[in-house]
Amino acid sequence: MDDFERGRLAKIEALRASGVDPYPVRFERTHDAAAIHAAHAALAPGEETSARVTVAGRIMLHRVHGGVSFGTLRDSSGDIQLFCQRDRLGDGYAAFGDLDLGDWVGAEGEVVRTKKGELSVRCDRVVLLAKALRPLPKEWFGLKDVEQRYRRREVDLAVNPEARRIAVLRSRVVQGVRELLASRGFLEVETPMLQPRPGGALARPFVTHMNALDLDLYLRIAPELYLKRLIVGGLDRVFEINRNFRNEGMSVKHNPEFTMLEAYQAYADYHDMMELTQAIVQHAAPAGEISYQGRPVRLGGEWRRVTMLEAVRDAAGVPDLDYDWPVERMREVCDRTAVPYEPSFGAGRLVTELFEKHVEGTLWDPTFVLDYPKEVSPLARAHRSNPHVTERFELICTGRELANAFSELNDPVDQRRRFEDQARARAAGDEEAMVLDEDFLTALEHGMPPAGGLGVGIDRLVMLLADAASIREVILFPLLRPEGRPATR
RNA sequence: GCCCCCCUAGCUCAACGGGCAGAGCACCGGGCUUUUAACCCGGCGGACCGGGUUCGAGACCUGGGGGGGGCACCA
């Protein structure tokens, strides 16, 4: 404990000695700051009212003079000034002067506008609601240290308007997504986070252990397989917005736990999913044209559609490139354009690599990239007219994947074959290859109606809409290494 | 996992080619009856942690910790 906290603790003892509870149990308030501003916007400087209000919030600024003092009180709706006079407050006046930045207080009085034009509550009662033991950075300077902003998000939220803006925006975006899906008859469901087999995506899982069953479990990498079992069960429009966990690298666009929307619609295909994706994003977005990192992004209207093959042909300058090319020829294109690959990659995987290296980062306005190769899409239905690819698209925007969707594979025999291909890849050393899920196959064997499925990275969607450069800005508590770990590992 | 960069007071920032580490705000004491980052006077308070080089290290070397960015992997 430092001198600062010792001083605050002494203050608290003094308060208690004088009969003041520094942490009282409840407080009744009648107005928030925004309501007072809305009701008295027209009040002229120097004008008083008889409107009595009770407000509560945190002291953000404190201006203590000899016989009259001011405080800026903040609640979740905004700021309102407290105006205190010695004559009016009596003993309470000294107590007001003794408040510190960060203290929570309640205040009662009449609404007035001061001579200098600030709408205020002229207090005849000020109650300490919770005493702060640590100093709050003065908002003028803010909290800029990025590490502290993430570790101490409560302080970031208290003093940085931008942190509050993003937190509020995120909530509204998620709410918008829910609204759109609910309006179309989708049922929100929850499926297991602890899974005996990690499925539904190509990724490394976190492993944990359950003592009671002496069982290794995996934190889910995707809810996909469970959601499709609900489609099998006849819940024909379902969605889940929840956390996925992937034991992989962190970056400006990757956090080990992240929030995903997955939605499944019976009788639909990936064209329907494109329409749904566009509707969701356009409904959640605050405007048709937004700015991301200084560049405009056109979110309104119909989004561009291009097949992966076309995109790669253009970017690599190989107009006749096709999936039936011999692998050797495909590798030459990779070599020539400096795209690395593994010997195990087939033509489909090589085209995907070319796409990711040459095209993905260049797509700024939202673009649907269609028809992903079978080799990289083990859960997607084969294309109705092209045997090399699946009916799958990704939505790319600002050079990043925002969504991934397909006409779902509902043929249990084909699905089993795809899992077996994955098993071979895993045996060959691909740790991210999918594990065969017998429960899922059994479900498909009961019959799954044709369906479209969609996944949207909610964090990335919020990044885009909030103009945030890093995923950590849109996750309230992003993963950080713990501080002060011992030197031994 | 690899590469580059960063870490000075509670917060925001200085200074110095190695020579007693500064400011504003916060906090404490005093003054002030309409302030807006209130102001005035006085005070308290610090080099991420460890080792080395040096007469002397916050600065140079080295090990560790944490963070940022990039690459790899992925969404």
Side-chain angles (χ1 to χ4, degrees):
Chain A
M1 182 184 308
D2 58 18
D3 290 346
F4 194 97
E5 272 184 78
R6 264 189 290 275
R8 290 287 173 96
L9 286 170
K11 251 187 191 181
I12 286 177
E13 284 320 302
L15 286 167
R16 287 207 166 101
S18 66
V20 174
D21 181 356
Y23 300 101
V25 66
R26 206 180 106 87
F27 189 77
E28 192 83 39
R29 73 170 176 178
T30 62
H31 292 70
D32 66 20
I36 295 171
H37 283 286
H40 301 281
L43 203 63
E47 202 175 340
E48 302 181 354
T49 74
S50 57
R52 289 198 66 76
V53 295
T54 307
V55 294
R58 172 177 254 150
I59 295 290
M60 297 304 293
L61 284 172
H62 201 208
R63 299 174 290 282
V64 179
H65 302 229
V68 61
S69 295
F70 304 86
T72 301
L73 185 82
R74 170 163 306 156
D75 63 30
S76 64
S77 76
D79 294 350
I80 186 75
Q81 179 167 269
L82 301 182
F83 171 36
C84 296
Q85 294 164 299
R86 179 186 283 153
D87 299 344
R88 193 173 282 267
L89 266 178
D91 290 348
Y93 187 75
F96 182 82
D98 226 23
L99 290 173
D100 295 299
L101 297 188
D103 287 351
W104 292 87
V105 303
E108 183 176 2
E110 284 146 10
V111 178
V112 302
R113 196 178 289 279
T114 60
K115 288 176 194 166
K116 294 286 175 69
E118 188 76 22
L119 194 67
S120 309
V121 176
R122 187 178 56 196
C123 304
D124 36 52
R125 185 169 71 105
V126 176
V127 186
L128 180 63
L129 298 180
K131 186 72 193 166
L133 277 185
R134 292 176 184 270
L136 197 64
K138 201 156 181 172
E139 189 168 33
W140 181 261
F141 302 105
L143 180 68
K144 295 189 179 159
D145 183 292
V146 176
E147 183 177 351
Q148 289 310 311
R149 288 186 37 240
Y150 297 158
R151 286 194 196 281
R152 301 254 61 98
R153 186 67 92 181
E154 61 280 6
V155 179
D156 188 32
L157 288 165
V159 301
N160 290 328
E162 177 69 0
R164 291 193 295 279
R165 182 186 74 84
I166 291 177
V168 169
L169 179 76
R170 178 171 183 134
S171 177
R172 298 211 169 121
V173 167
V174 172
Q175 194 186 343
V177 171
R178 287 201 161 98
E179 278 166 10
L180 190 281
L181 287 163
S183 76
R184 293 191 175 197
F186 282 82
L187 201 66
E188 182 165 6
V189 298
E190 291 173 273
T191 61
M193 310 277 261
L194 292 174
Q195 303 182 348
R197 230 168 284 98
L202 304 163
R204 278 186 216 183
F206 286 94
V207 192
T208 186
H209 187 79
M210 183 182 180
N211 294 332
L213 300 183
D214 187 23
L215 178 67
D216 281 338
L217 290 167
Y218 300 88
L219 274 60
R220 76 173 185 197
I221 57 176
E224 172 152 355
L225 270 30
Y226 287 94
L227 289 169
K228 282 196 243 188
R229 288 167 67 179
L230 301 181
I231 297 290
V232 169
L235 302 180
D236 62 13
R237 292 187 179 198
V238 295
F239 76 97
E240 177 164 9
I241 296 176
N242 225 322
R243 220 65 64 80
N244 289 346
F245 307 86
R246 298 192 184 174
N247 204 340
E248 286 164 351
M250 299 165 67
S251 81
V252 75
K253 41 183 194 282
H254 302 263
N255 194 64
E257 51 178 312
F258 63 101
T259 300
M260 186 87 144
L261 158 70
E262 287 204 10
Y264 292 84
Q265 178 177 344
Y267 320 120
D269 67 7
Y270 76 145
H271 290 102
D272 299 306
M273 292 299 105
M274 278 181 246
E275 190 279 327
L276 179 63
T277 305
Q278 191 177 309
I280 288 171
V281 173
Q282 290 179 345
H283 182 75
E289 170 140 346
I290 61 166
S291 171
Y292 187 73
Q293 305 295 296
R295 281 180 67 183
V297 182
R298 206 191 110 257
L299 290 182
E302 286 296 309
W303 296 344
R304 184 182 160 217
R305 300 179 184 195
V306 61
T307 67
M308 178 184 281
L309 189 62
E310 289 163 357
V312 170
R313 281 173 174 166
D314 289 352
V318 189
D320 60 333
L321 183 84
D322 213 331
Y323 293 108
D324 55 12
W325 276 24
V327 167
E328 294 71 33
R329 259 189 98 185
M330 206 76 90
R331 287 179 179 167
E332 282 169 28
V333 177
C334 292
D335 291 337
R336 185 164 54 74
T337 60
V339 173
Y341 53 83
E342 302 281 326
S344 61
F345 290 2
R349 181 76 189 264
L350 292 170
V351 170
T352 307
E353 296 295 320
L354 286 165
F355 172 78
E356 287 174 357
K357 296 296 181 295
H358 294 314
V359 185
E360 189 170 284
T362 69
L363 300 175
W364 189 261
D365 285 330
T367 304
F368 291 116
V369 177
L370 278 61
D371 301 345
Y372 276 55
K374 238 181 197 174
E375 191 180 346
V376 297
S377 312
L379 300 170
R381 185 189 196 281
H383 194 279
R384 61 196 80 180
S385 59
N386 180 343
H388 299 289
V389 298
T390 57
E391 296 202 355
R392 172 184 172 189
F393 71 82
E394 287 194 357
L395 171 65
I396 311 295
C397 185
T398 65
R400 293 171 187 159
E401 179 188 341
L402 259 195
N404 177 23
F406 21 98
S407 302
E408 298 296 337
L409 175 52
N410 64 341
D411 174 345
V413 175
D414 191 3
Q415 183 66 78
R416 184 175 292 276
R417 213 162 29 226
R418 306 279 197 97
F419 275 140
E420 284 164 356
D421 291 343
Q422 288 289 311
R424 273 190 289 278
R426 177 166 279 269
D430 183 353
E431 288 183 62
E432 277 146 22
M434 267 180 207
V435 182
L436 185 141
D437 188 323
E438 205 60 63
D439 285 333
F440 175 62
L441 286 171
T442 300
L444 287 191
E445 286 164 8
H446 278 110
M448 181 171 106
L454 165 68
V456 178
I458 294 293
D459 311 275
R460 289 192 180 175
L461 177 60
V462 176
M463 282 173 72
L464 172 70
L465 299 179
D467 193 17
S470 168
I471 197 168
R472 296 182 196 102
E473 297 294 341
V474 304
I475 293 175
L476 285 169
F477 298 100
L479 186 78
L480 298 180
R481 283 193 158 94
E483 275 177 304
R485 191 164 52 166
T488 56
R489 306 190 59 163

